[in-house]
Amino acid sequence: SMPQPIENTENYQKIETNPVYVVAQQPVSTFSVDVDTGSYSNVRRFLTLEGQLPPVDAVRIEEMVNYFNYDYPNPTGQHPFSVNTEVVNSPWQPNAKIIKIGIKAKDLEMKQLPAANLVFLVDVSGSMDAENKLPLVKKTLTLLTEQLRPQDKVTIVTYASGEDLALAPTSGADKDKILKVIHRLKAGGATSGERAIQLAYEQAQKSYIQGGINRILIATDGDFNVGITDFETLKGMIAEKRQSGISFSTFGFGTGNYDEQLMEQLADAGDGNYSYIDNEREAKKVLQRQLSSTLATVAQDVKIQVEFNPATVKEYRLIGYENRVLNNEDFNNDRVDAGDIGAGHTVTALYEVIPVGQKGWLSESRYQAPSNSSKANKQEYAYVNVRYKQPQKSQSVLLSQPVPARSVALAQASSDTRFAIAVASYAQQLRGGQYNANMKWDDILKLAQSATLPDEFGLRAEFIDLVKAAKSLSAESVKP
């Protein structure tokens, strides 16, 4: 008999696209960095496996852009990351410029990482019994285990109808023992996530390594249907536990009942990162090639605050980062949590701005005269402030630099900048294209194709295929 089709219960957090601001009224923009990449691979799953356009709220622009690594200079000096800016003409809005802010965290090889105390929290409930769920979880955890060192420890907690300590803390020297437990995992039973999360924290606490990496990695489809399933309660519990120095990362799997909101927000509350694993290649990206950035935090609570210069910039909008926007007063408040950056991570943020004297999105104000005082500083578009904490420190450090008021044509920009803008264009188009103006799928394709190098792992070539898939699935290509 045919299996019954599952009712689709996938859940996404609602995103309201950032508005345009007038510099004269609101010159300062503040947000928390985001190194999650789950949105990109989840959208890829819709386009390739489901053959449909993703739900609009599945598309978080900054996670799309940050899925790729960009070749920003390594930090030199006392800060754990470098800050780089570039200004180019916008392909979307005539007269507009795009300011790119690129951050590159210092690289650490696996052998340089502090000892790790990892707790794998594995959902083995009945809903995980699908080819793209538990079997893929096992491959993912196997890839991670293969890279462990003797000083690292792994504990495995499973949860279905009851939670179970499947593996007591075991040294990375004893890989066979760890792998045997991983391979034996089977799916069946209801899901009781909340109690299992508590058990995982208890175990992480027991094996806590002072000055080491202490992290829980949960692998699930997010379908917690037993026990405390209240989203805010779970999030609050994890936010409280992160004070103890144990971070919480989420690996999402599967389709149909996937609770993306839960996965992304729990990682956010737990100072970890969120990845969506749609195939073995993605598992390799996150857990082989990027293991040090997946595990080791080099800067915590990283916040960006950009002050625009009213003498040179009239309007601006932040592209993406909607659920990372902070109040301006949060910037200097070290009690306010923000995103963490792992070793070797790059983070990219884009603003689209309208220079003074150019027509923008908004009507001219009848009552507000443009400032043209002669002492105004016309040399800068903006001033970028970045605040971060060294891991385990409670006081933040400030790093600032100006964005000079000069720009280049898009064709003259670096390959990385062109590619990042192509990815942002693709994400904006998938969200309805309200800010893409006259830019169409073919223009996005051309821009991406002008920037396919460097492409060591074929990710940019794959992106070109995804743009083509989105184009053919979107209404634009069927209109006569």
Side-chain angles (χ1 to χ4, degrees):
S1 72
M2 285 294 287
Q4 284 302 302
I6 318 173
E7 175 206 0
N8 189 325
T9 57
E10 294 195 22
N11 178 32
Y12 296 95
Q13 185 186 8
K14 184 96 195 79
I15 299 174
E16 299 291 348
T17 301
N18 290 326
V20 168
Y21 290 106
V22 177
V23 176
Q25 292 163 8
Q26 201 160 345
V28 176
S29 168
T30 309
F31 64 97
S32 155
V33 300
D34 184 5
V35 294
D36 295 342
T37 58
S39 179
Y40 184 89
S41 40
N42 189 39
V43 164
R44 172 174 67 202
R45 178 259 299 196
F46 277 102
L47 294 173
T48 55
L49 293 178
E50 322 269 330
Q52 64 186 61
L53 292 170
V56 168
D57 289 324
V59 182
R60 285 190 296 282
I61 300 178
E62 78 281 1
E63 290 188 26
M64 299 282 196
V65 173
N66 288 330
Y67 181 82
F68 299 91
N69 238 330
Y70 301 102
D71 191 18
Y72 302 142
N74 278 316
T76 52
Q78 81 273 38
H79 298 290
F81 51 80
S82 65
V83 178
N84 314 277
T85 63
E86 192 174 359
V87 185
V88 301
N89 295 346
S90 170
W92 304 315
Q93 179 76 5
N95 315 326
K97 312 271 180 204
I98 293 176
I99 297 177
K100 179 192 79 171
I101 301 169
I103 290 179
K104 165 79 166 124
K106 67 177 182 207
D107 268 316
L108 291 172
E109 297 294 313
M110 186 65 192
K111 54 179 186 296
Q112 299 169 287
L113 295 190
N117 157 35
L118 306 177
V119 177
F120 297 164
L121 179 53
V122 187
D123 182 351
V124 291
S125 63
S127 73
M128 292 296 288
D129 190 11
E131 198 43 49
N132 58 357
K133 293 189 186 179
L134 195 59
L136 194 49
V137 170
K138 292 178 174 185
K139 284 183 184 145
T140 303
L141 297 180
T142 298
L143 285 169
L144 176 48
T145 303
E146 281 165 354
Q147 297 173 85
L148 295 173
R149 307 155 301 176
Q151 64 265 43
D152 302 323
K153 281 185 293 210
V154 168
T155 307
I156 300 178
V157 173
T158 58
Y159 65 100
S161 303
E163 57 292 328
D164 180 35
L165 183 60
L167 177 71
T170 302
S171 154
D174 205 348
K175 290 190 178 41
D176 287 350
K177 187 176 171 188
I178 302 169
L179 292 171
K180 267 202 189 85
V181 172
I182 292 171
H183 294 317
R184 276 206 307 267
L185 298 171
K186 275 192 195 55
T191 317
S192 163
E194 184 250 351
R195 182 64 208 103
I197 290 174
Q198 281 174 343
L199 179 64
Y201 276 109
E202 283 160 28
Q203 290 300 324
Q205 209 71 61
K206 268 190 201 146
S207 306
Y208 192 83
I209 300 173
Q210 201 58 46
I213 294 168
N214 297 279
R215 192 171 286 236
I216 295 168
L217 305 157
I218 188 173
T220 175
D221 54 18
D223 195 356
F224 295 174
N225 49 20
V226 180
I228 295 194
T229 54
D230 179 57
F231 173 65
E232 292 303 331
T233 310
L234 275 171
K235 201 174 147 177
M237 178 174 104
I238 285 175
E240 185 223 342
K241 300 270 195 200
R242 74 160 175 254
Q243 314 293 346
S244 64
I246 297 163
S247 55
F248 188 91
S249 278
T250 58
F251 296 93
F253 294 84
T255 63
N257 62 339
Y258 181 51
D259 192 339
E260 208 243 12
Q261 175 177 16
L262 186 70
M263 302 308 285
E264 195 259 342
Q265 294 282 297
L266 292 188
D268 208 10
D271 284 348
N273 23 30
Y274 155 58
S275 310
Y276 176 77
I277 310 288
D278 54 340
N279 57 38
E280 200 172 348
R281 282 216 320 278
E282 186 63 16
K284 285 188 170 141
K285 174 182 189 282
V286 176
L287 291 162
Q288 247 179 18
R289 307 205 297 270
Q290 299 174 344
L291 186 63
S292 51
S293 54
T294 300
L295 295 182
T297 299
V298 296
Q300 285 186 304
D301 290 343
V302 183
K303 301 168 187 170
I304 297 180
Q305 186 163 71
V306 180
E307 183 185 353
F308 291 97
N309 178 1
T312 53
V313 180
K314 189 170 80 163
E315 299 164 17
Y316 69 90
R317 65 182 190 93
L318 171 60
I319 299 166
Y321 291 94
E322 277 84 2
N323 63 359
R324 307 278 169 160
V325 169
L326 296 171
N327 296 325
N328 292 341
E329 64 271 21
D330 294 344
F331 184 71
N332 294 327
N333 184 348
D334 285 348
R335 300 295 298 272
V336 175
D337 181 61
D340 299 353
I341 296 183
H345 261 145
T346 58
V347 179
T348 301
L350 303 168
Y351 282 94
E352 192 176 19
V353 305
I354 305 287
V356 163
Q358 300 285 344
K359 182 168 166 23
W361 296 278
L362 305 168
S363 308
E364 291 303 328
S365 163
R366 177 175 170 128
Y367 299 110
Q368 267 189 319
S371 82
N372 44 14
S373 86
S374 54
K375 17 181 228 306
N377 168 1
K378 306 255 172 75
Q379 311 300 296
E380 296 169 9
Y381 277 140
Y383 196 59
V384 178
N385 294 301
V386 182
R387 260 194 195 286
Y388 69 94
K389 294 174 189 153
Q390 296 281 0
Q392 273 95 46
K393 296 275 194 294
S394 55
Q395 225 179 345
S396 66
V397 181
L398 178 65
L399 168 62
S400 305
Q401 66 187 59
V403 179
R406 51 169 188 266
S407 58
V408 297
L410 191 53
Q412 265 70 68
S414 67
S415 173
D416 273 348
T417 294
R418 289 200 308 275
F419 190 77
I421 291 173
V423 178
S425 305
Y426 157 84
Q428 289 187 150
Q429 199 75 343
L430 289 172
R431 287 186 55 78
Q434 77 181 96
Y435 285 114
N436 276 357
N438 296 325
M439 197 177 195
K440 298 286 189 282
W441 283 116
D442 283 339
D443 305 314
I444 296 172
L445 203 51
K446 272 200 203 75
L447 182 57
Q449 283 164 337
S450 79
T452 48
L453 297 173
D455 195 24
E456 196 187 342
F457 301 105
L459 297 178
R460 294 190 183 193
E462 179 189 59
F463 173 72
I464 303 280
D465 291 340
L466 293 181
V467 175
K468 289 176 179 166
K471 178 194 167 181
S472 71
L473 288 167
S474 78
E476 201 181 273
S477 54
V478 287
K479 284 195 193 113

